[in-house]
Amino acid sequence: MTSRVVSAGFAVPLAVLALGVAQPASAQVDLSGTWSPRYQEDFSERVPGPELGDYTGLPITDGARRYAESWDPARLTLPEEQCRVHISPYIYRGPTNIAIWEERDPNTRELVAIKHRISTFDQERTIYMDGRPHPPVYAAHTWMGFSTGQWQGNMLVVTTTHIKKGWLRRNGVPESDLATLTEYFVRTGEVLTRISAIADPVYLTEPLVKSEEFVLNTQGVPHRSWLFKCKPVIEVVRPEGAVPHYLPGANPFLEEFRKRYNFPESATRGGAAQTYPAGSAPTGAAPAMKGPALSAPAPGEVKVLHVQGQVYMLVSTDGNMVVHAGPEGVLVVDTLRAALADRVVAAIRSISDKPIHYVVNTQADEDHTGGNEALAKAGPTRPDRALLTAGVGGNAGGTISIIAHENVQKRMIAATGTAARTPASWPGDTFFNDENDVFFNDEAVQVLHQPNAHADGDSIVFFRRSDVIAAGDVFSTVSYPIFDRAQGGSINGVISSLNRIIKLAVATGNMEGGTMIVPGHGRLSDKMDVVEYRNMATIVRDRVQALVAQGRTLEQVIATQPTLDYDARYGAAAGPASPPGFVTAVYDTLRAAAASGRAAK
């Protein structure tokens, strides 16, 4: 379809808008029934599957193209990738049947939601029709996302946010987890038309518009078709943590599609200009691709989100912390900056009025330990524990136990200048081995040391009964990994920590939910989100490693843009999380590791 208008940041077919406004607002239609797809449109992409190297018709960015060109389908043989399913923008394009029904309030008969049962992978989707807002930006993402709908005449318009990372086309072209989906459902007799507009600020330069048609199925469809009870297995034996991918320029299969049909290379590489008739592509910047505004904490605010079980996530613009509350009292993981201490205590008191017994520090930085002193004064601790006295590791005047790896204590004691810390904020309950366990609120809590990751004292905290992991700064959903070589941090240590989280976490049968992970910064996550982050860190590490082995200088490595396919998602404008800053840190740690290996020989 080439006839488009721009409305609210989305490209929408004119014919569909005409259908939607031709009827009064009360002229809603019943979409209920079981619908089977027609395949005459985009058949080769939808059923046989797209060919490698075919990016035609996609307004993709250079980063999306780099990602697709590096894609190795063997990645789907990894145990953590085998059970992933399609996201809501893509799943309607497969060999699927859609059952649609309404859910109404039993007393008022008001429409609460429209439900979709999608036979492919046995997915169920809820489209809320009761006017509720979308969740905050820091809420978890799912394969189907969070959807709200409204009628525009006889057309149902659906907006979906909080979608996991997936495919724009299943030959490696990615769709990021920041994408927003807008759909238009129109019923004409026994034909249901679905038109979607995908706005992805990471991998698209303008919205991608697709359409499908479904026919009312009056013959009946087996209710148990495509039941998806997946259990991953070891299909290929690989080194632990290996992620299949091609180094830039090394994928041997990209030319097959072009050569088979004798296409010029420019015709197969995608881009917005190819989605318009020759000579009609607009000039200048595309309209902003904005979805609905999602609530987020303002500077100085601390928001509370219940994760599951006895665990809560406290969110601020400076990072996240975790509160574990139960019948015995409160255990806190990290304490944010000192300036937020009053807000942190108030947030904790909104969860529980019981005493704070423990603080666990996942690392030494001020944005994780700044509130230690204030929370230490908010005890008391167990009746059998005397007040701690001032001194090394002493929590002067405090009444709670601050737990951390001994290297965290050493860093805080040694800090000077603006980073200097008072003795009351130092951890007094330190450990030097792999873990420190606490049984609290009828739950096993494991503090697990992660060597040489962000620094040399990192820990993750595993709440085994609630099934939640507090990851600290070894995992973020908003930036590249940040690690400090001077304090023992390394890219390989970060990747090892991510792999440990992946091994600890257990997802549901479709790789969603199960063990939940709270990152040091960003949104609530699950195992699949950590897998995506681990994949990114590993692929960038491997690319830089290959260039280091070739003897390239740092400037030469940066010039190859080894992070191009991830910069729009994780790259900061400046600093250690900027593309050059991250590449420099990776390069330095790999060079140091190589030099150490040579010295050992």
Side-chain angles (χ1 to χ4, degrees), residues 47-383:
V47 182
E51 297 188 61
L52 292 174
D54 177 11
Y55 315 138
T56 56
L58 302 177
I60 56 175
T61 64
D62 291 340
R65 190 176 298 107
R66 169 72 67 83
Y67 188 104
E69 290 174 346
S70 302
W71 166 252
D72 185 347
R75 194 180 309 171
L76 297 179
T77 65
L78 293 174
E80 56 267 32
E81 295 269 6
Q82 291 169 20
C83 297
R84 68 180 300 153
V85 303
H86 291 320
I87 52 177
S88 54
Y90 198 90
I91 199 167
Y92 290 83
R93 296 181 69 77
T96 188
N97 293 289
I98 314 296
I100 301 177
W101 69 97
E102 295 180 345
E103 286 194 351
R104 293 183 175 271
D105 184 284
N107 298 313
T108 66
R109 305 308 299 163
E110 291 292 327
L111 182 61
V112 176
I114 295 175
K115 306 279 283 192
H116 287 198
R117 191 73 183 184
I118 305 167
S119 65
T120 306
F121 304 128
D122 195 36
Q123 297 292 288
E124 185 171 300
R125 183 183 180 199
T126 300
I127 301 169
Y128 291 103
M129 302 293 294
D130 55 1
R132 69 183 66 191
H134 284 247
V137 69
Y138 46 84
H141 288 206
T142 62
W143 300 116
M144 295 293 101
F146 185 91
S147 301
T148 56
Q150 60 179 342
W151 289 101
Q152 294 182 10
N154 67 346
M155 178 172 62
L156 177 63
V157 182
V158 179
T159 302
T160 303
T161 59
H162 296 76
I163 310 168
K164 283 184 173 293
K165 183 176 178 294
W167 309 117
L168 290 170
R169 184 171 288 168
R170 54 189 170 97
N171 57 0
V173 183
E175 177 181 321
S176 84
D177 61 341
L178 300 185
T180 298
L181 171 67
T182 303
E183 295 162 286
Y184 307 86
F185 292 91
V186 180
R187 177 173 181 172
T188 308
E190 295 189 350
V191 176
L192 178 66
T193 301
R194 172 187 180 263
I195 296 177
S196 63
I198 303 166
D200 186 348
V202 177
Y203 291 125
L204 291 175
T205 60
E206 65 180 48
L208 173 62
V209 180
K210 299 180 180 181
S211 65
E212 300 87 31
E213 286 186 343
F214 298 83
V215 180
L216 187 65
N217 188 324
T218 59
Q219 305 302 312
V221 178
H223 292 289
R224 296 178 64 83
S225 63
W226 278 71
L227 284 181
F228 189 65
K229 302 300 181 185
C230 179
K231 185 179 184 301
V233 298
I234 302 295
E235 293 185 353
V236 180
V237 177
R238 298 186 178 92
E240 183 174 342
V243 178
H245 64 96
Y246 290 104
L247 295 174
N251 190 332
F253 303 107
L254 294 179
E255 293 297 305
E256 291 182 358
F257 171 72
R258 181 181 69 81
K259 292 180 179 179
R260 179 177 295 114
Y261 300 104
N262 198 28
F263 287 154
E265 182 180 5
S266 60
T268 64
R269 291 174 58 79
Q274 293 183 0
T275 66
Y276 296 85
S280 67
T283 58
M289 298 184 292
K290 295 182 179 179
L294 304 178
S295 63
E301 284 188 320
V302 177
K303 298 288 189 179
V304 177
L305 179 69
H306 180 229
V307 180
Q308 59 190 20
Q310 301 182 104
V311 176
Y312 298 78
M313 172 178 167
L314 270 56
V315 187
S316 76
T317 56
D318 292 312
N320 302 326
M321 58 178 286
V322 164
V323 173
H324 176 250
E328 291 184 78
V330 175
L331 180 151
V332 173
V333 179
D334 292 331
T335 58
L336 301 180
R337 296 187 185 278
L340 293 174
D342 290 344
R343 301 287 180 91
V344 166
V345 172
I348 294 172
R349 290 297 167 234
S350 74
I351 299 169
S352 172
D353 60 359
K354 293 184 179 297
I356 301 171
H357 289 274
Y358 297 98
V359 169
V360 179
N361 289 149
T362 62
Q363 51 131 306
D365 292 351
E366 205 269 343
D367 60 341
H368 290 253
T369 61
N372 280 9
E373 183 173 357
L375 266 67
K377 296 176 180 178
T381 186
R382 299 191 308 267

